[in-house]
Amino acid sequence: MRVVMVGPFGFHPNKTMRSRALPLARGLVARGHEVLVVMPPWQTPAEGGRRWVEDGVSVSYVTLGGGIVGITRRLVGGVRAWEPDIVHCFKPKAYSGLVSWWLWQRGWRQGLVMDTDDWEGWGGWNERADYSWSQKHFFAWQERWGLTHCSGVTVASRHLETLVWGLGVAREKVAYVPNGSGLRWPVAEASGLRAELGWEKRPILLLYSRLFEFDVSRLTRILERVREQVPDLAILSIGTGLFAEEAAQLREEWQVAGLLESVHDLGWVEEQLLPGVLAVADVGIYLMDDTLLNRTKCPVKLAD
């Protein structure tokens, strides 16, 4: 069987295609199928036109230019040239949503699968991302249309499953496919980092977050209470905040609370180094407020 997976963006810096689509593609290749992943490298335009093979999976970045129509045409062209049995579009919005719409309009009704790993419309990413008014309305429409005009839907969470059923999609057409860790194990030796930080005997708490899933003041209050019980607490922070103002607020609050001196911020860590860095910590904290966006997520960071 030949499968084409279509993404709305490339492997970096957003992680949906690398952390969700690529592991699924690897699994299909291991079972004897041929898989192509085709994407527009929206955040890394210099990679446009690049083609390579990763773990047996063919990967293609289309060139940018020509606006929405030009990029969509090249994505559709990549799909058609592969002559697939299955087209699996990841996220029912933006370019992958447009490819799905184009194929449906031209009679591709069998073997068109949609994947959703977030709620994109109202109550979801529309409330968080800096989209224009017209983009928000278009993405909300795309989401509902894409999830109801396909031969099957894969969902990353049980709450997404319920939402898709609520759109009238038959239960037998919806498959629950949660995320797993995208890291390669076994873990590399991590004791060197403890020594480098001077934390050989200190208990280390891991914060691995983009800081938008919760009220950062809540995190500060929790860590203050933890430090009361564990005075020599050390905090290892990995990653970057999705929104600069939240990261700045957290740093300011930690300064006031006297926590900043106990924090080492590693920032962005390359994937191949991440297992060893995570293994340094004794305990992790992963906060999520009760919102629709969080209920529909299946965080790869938590799986890692």
Side-chain angles (χ1 to χ4, degrees):
M1 184 173 65
R2 293 168 68 84
V3 180
V4 174
M5 296 181 171
V6 183
F9 39 68
F11 279 158
H12 303 285
N14 294 340
K15 289 295 187 179
T16 292
M17 296 308 293
R18 174 160 288 281
S19 298
R20 180 163 177 80
L22 186 58
L24 291 175
R26 289 192 192 111
L28 289 172
V29 168
R31 287 161 176 78
H33 305 294
E34 298 178 75
V35 184
L36 168 70
V37 181
V38 59
M39 304 163 282
W42 190 248
Q43 291 96 339
T44 56
E47 293 189 280
R50 180 187 173 203
R51 297 182 180 183
W52 72 100
V53 176
E54 187 165 335
D55 297 331
V57 179
S58 298
V59 185
S60 176
Y61 277 164
V62 301
T63 56
L64 304 184
I68 295 173
V69 173
I71 294 172
T72 303
R73 283 184 180 276
R74 284 189 284 277
L75 288 169
V76 170
V79 171
R80 296 183 66 184
W82 191 257
E83 298 183 351
D85 302 291
I86 299 290
V87 178
H88 200 170
C89 295
F90 285 76
K91 290 188 179 291
K93 69 184 290 189
Y95 290 108
S96 47
L98 288 171
V99 169
S100 174
W101 177 87
W102 192 96
L103 293 172
W104 183 271
Q105 297 302 324
R106 282 152 183 78
W108 193 304
R109 304 297 169 85
Q110 297 298 319
L112 181 60
V113 182
M114 183 61 69
D115 181 78
T116 177
D117 66 339
D118 279 309
W119 190 247
E120 307 292 346
W122 306 117
W125 274 107
N126 268 2
E127 313 299 332
R128 299 291 297 170
D130 188 23
Y131 299 140
S132 67
W133 181 89
S134 57
Q135 285 177 316
K136 290 182 178 183
H137 281 268
F138 181 62
F139 291 152
W141 173 83
Q142 267 195 311
E143 181 170 54
R144 289 178 175 271
W145 191 95
L147 293 173
T148 55
H149 291 75
C150 56
S151 52
V153 180
T154 52
V155 298
S157 68
R158 289 300 188 188
H159 201 74
L160 281 171
E161 183 180 55
T162 302
L163 291 173
V164 174
W165 290 341
L167 294 175
V169 180
R171 292 192 172 215
E172 62 270 18
K173 290 186 176 183
V174 183
Y176 170 54
V177 185
N179 286 321
S181 174
L183 301 181
R184 302 297 184 93
W185 302 87
V187 176
E189 177 61 43
S191 59
L193 182 56
R194 273 185 174 267
E196 180 183 331
L197 297 172
W199 289 352
E200 294 95 329
K201 297 182 179 180
R202 293 180 68 179
I204 299 177
L205 180 145
L206 171 70
L207 173 65
Y208 182 23
S209 173
R210 299 178 76 186
L211 305 182
F212 71 89
E213 299 100 337
F214 53 86
D215 175 5
V216 295
S217 294
R218 177 181 166 214
L219 174 63
T220 301
R221 292 193 298 270
I222 290 172
L223 293 181
E224 285 183 295
R225 291 165 61 189
V226 172
R227 190 184 55 179
E228 289 175 2
Q229 301 297 318
V230 188
D232 58 343
L233 174 70
I235 302 168
L236 184 64
S237 179
I238 301 176
T240 55
L242 184 62
F243 303 105
E245 61 270 18
E246 290 168 342
Q249 178 188 343
L250 186 61
R251 187 174 184 83
E252 182 178 330
E253 289 187 2
W254 284 3
Q255 179 70 54
V256 172
L259 286 165
L260 202 56
E261 61 187 20
S262 300
V263 177
H264 185 83
D265 186 1
L266 283 177
W268 190 267
V269 175
E270 292 297 327
E271 184 176 299
Q272 65 270 22
L273 301 176
L274 195 53
V277 173
L278 295 180
V280 170
D282 299 296
V283 63
I285 184 169
Y286 202 100
L287 302 186
M288 289 203 293
D289 290 343
D290 189 3
T291 65
L292 178 60
L293 184 59
N294 285 338
R295 281 177 174 265
T296 55
K297 287 170 64 66
C298 182
V300 173
K301 287 183 177 63
L302 186 55
D304 290 344

